[in-house]
Amino acid sequence: VDVAPVLLPLCTPWLYAGDGPDGVAEGGQFQVNTPSGPMLVTVPPGVKSGQVIDISAPAPMAMAMERSAIAEASMAMVGTYHNDSSVCCGLGGGTTDLVVTESHQVLTLAVHGRTRFCCLGCGTTEGTGSRGVNDATMVFTTTGVSNGVTTSHTNTQTITSATRDKIEMDWDVQVHGQGMRIDMHLYGKMTWDLAAGTMKHTTTNHPLAPTMIYHKAA
């Protein structure tokens, strides 16, 4: 169903008028084509088949501005970010490199991690994920191996705000344990300070998890 604009404010939801298609009853859904793209509409209570209804959709300019900000910030993320950490007075710790690359408008994040703890052995973490430079969400998987035990992680990163100099993200990790490891669910925040060349990684639901600061290589 094609719709026509009724109200044209800048950077706020647009109001459209559209005809409810024949055969779609109250509470049913149908797809409409707006200048912002296709969207699914639920027929409101009291509306009969074929009756004109108002449809609210994001303003095209607002969406374009949002995509532009995400794309510009995403391109500025490209580079290698390094973190060194230590625990227990230096008896344990690790290093992690986050390598961000871009090709054909696709951003790829690769993780390379090494951990050690006293005489208990070492571990590795490797994984990759990709998203379009205009996309707000990236899902990637990593595989960790420690003392012969393999653990997989499903990591979802969602951009909550983006400017030329800073990106704020929420992250959510599902840890799929094997052997003696248990399943875990962790989440937190990531702040990419593009002007300073740093990334701050914090965990919200694990009080013992350290705050990690990554520095972009020159």
Side-chain angles (χ1 to χ4, degrees), residues 37-48:
M39 61 179 293
L40 200 62
V41 175
T42 300
V43 178
V47 173
K48 295 180 172 52

Side-chain angles (χ1 to χ4, degrees), residues 15-135:
L15 187 63
Y16 298 93
D19 296 331
D22 293 335
V24 181
E26 174 183 322
Q29 293 184 317
F30 63 97
Q31 181 173 294
V32 298
N33 300 315
T34 76
S36 303
M39 61 179 293
L40 200 62
V41 175
T42 300
V43 178
V47 173
K48 295 180 172 52
S49 178
Q51 184 176 342
V52 175
I53 61 176
D54 292 332
I55 299 166
S56 179
M61 182 172 293
M63 294 180 67
M65 290 174 63
E66 180 181 353
R67 288 195 299 266
S68 176
I70 291 176
E72 186 175 7
S74 296
M75 296 296 289
M77 288 172 60
V78 171
T80 298
Y81 298 79
H82 183 77
N83 170 265
D84 281 306
S85 61
S86 63
V87 294
C88 298
C89 301
L91 294 178
T95 62
T96 305
D97 287 318
L98 305 179
V99 182
V100 183
T101 56
E102 183 275 333
S103 178
H104 303 292
Q105 298 294 295
V106 174
L107 202 73
T108 298
L109 173 64
V111 180
H112 309 286
R114 300 289 184 272
T115 58
R116 64 188 184 281
F117 189 79
C118 194
C119 300
L120 299 181
C122 299
T124 61
T125 300
E126 300 286 339
T128 60
S130 299
R131 65 172 172 84
V133 294
N134 288 309
D135 298 334

